[in-house]
Amino acid sequence: MEMQMELSYVFAVVITGLVVVFLGLVLLIAFISLIGTFFKRADKNKKAADGEKSTPVPAPKAAPVSVKPVQAADDDEVIAVISAAVAMMSETDGTAYRIKSVRAASNGVPARNAWASAGLRESTNPF
């Protein structure tokens, strides 16, 4: 039950398949381009309509900001709180911990506030 195909029939099938595939791709590209221009035009019309209706609002003036310098007393309070936390840890563990030095932690990254650090930690956690 061997079926012999002529070489011209094989080439006709291959060429027809390639033409159909590339024609489908060209039609798909044209369709996506038309949809893109439709949405760009609709967005431009929406912006033009919004621009006619709204009036520019003057920017509010910024209030003067008073900067309070950090005092050495704040450092003493921080050290007292850290030493109290270490003392509580040593009581619960039953071992004696000792504070050798207190310094600001820096790992080469500029300091962030607590909210920025929490947002960064939340957005970079694995799933």
Side-chain angles (χ1 to χ4, degrees), residues 25-75:
L25 287 174
V26 167
L27 289 174
L28 187 63
I29 289 170
F31 179 70
I32 290 173
S33 297
L34 285 173
I35 288 177
T37 55
F38 171 74
F39 282 117
K40 283 181 187 176
R41 204 174 283 161
D43 190 37
K44 190 184 294 183
N45 290 342
K46 183 179 177 184
K47 284 183 182 177
D50 288 345
E52 292 172 0
K53 292 179 183 176
S54 65
T55 58
V57 178
K61 294 185 179 182
V65 178
S66 63
V67 178
K68 179 180 162 186
V70 178
Q71 298 174 358
D74 291 342
D75 291 339

Side-chain angles (χ1 to χ4, degrees), residues 1-123:
M1 294 216 171
E2 233 177 85
M3 189 172 181
Q4 289 278 335
M5 291 188 176
E6 292 182 22
L7 195 57
S8 62
Y9 179 73
V10 171
F11 282 129
V13 168
V14 169
I15 297 298
T16 304
L18 287 173
V19 167
V20 167
V21 166
F22 282 107
L23 184 65
L25 287 174
V26 167
L27 289 174
L28 187 63
I29 289 170
F31 179 70
I32 290 173
S33 297
L34 285 173
I35 288 177
T37 55
F38 171 74
F39 282 117
K40 283 181 187 176
R41 204 174 283 161
D43 190 37
K44 190 184 294 183
N45 290 342
K46 183 179 177 184
K47 284 183 182 177
D50 288 345
E52 292 172 0
K53 292 179 183 176
S54 65
T55 58
V57 178
K61 294 185 179 182
V65 178
S66 63
V67 178
K68 179 180 162 186
V70 178
Q71 298 174 358
D74 291 342
D75 291 339
D76 293 338
E77 291 174 6
V78 169
I79 292 172
V81 169
I82 291 173
S83 60
V86 170
M88 289 301 294
M89 283 178 44
S90 66
E91 281 184 19
T92 50
D93 290 347
T95 58
Y97 292 119
R98 191 172 56 151
I99 298 175
K100 289 185 178 181
S101 66
V102 177
R103 60 189 160 105
S106 68
N107 34 341
V109 181
R112 293 185 174 93
N113 65 15
W115 290 107
S117 297
L120 182 66
R121 205 172 26 251
E122 181 179 326
S123 64

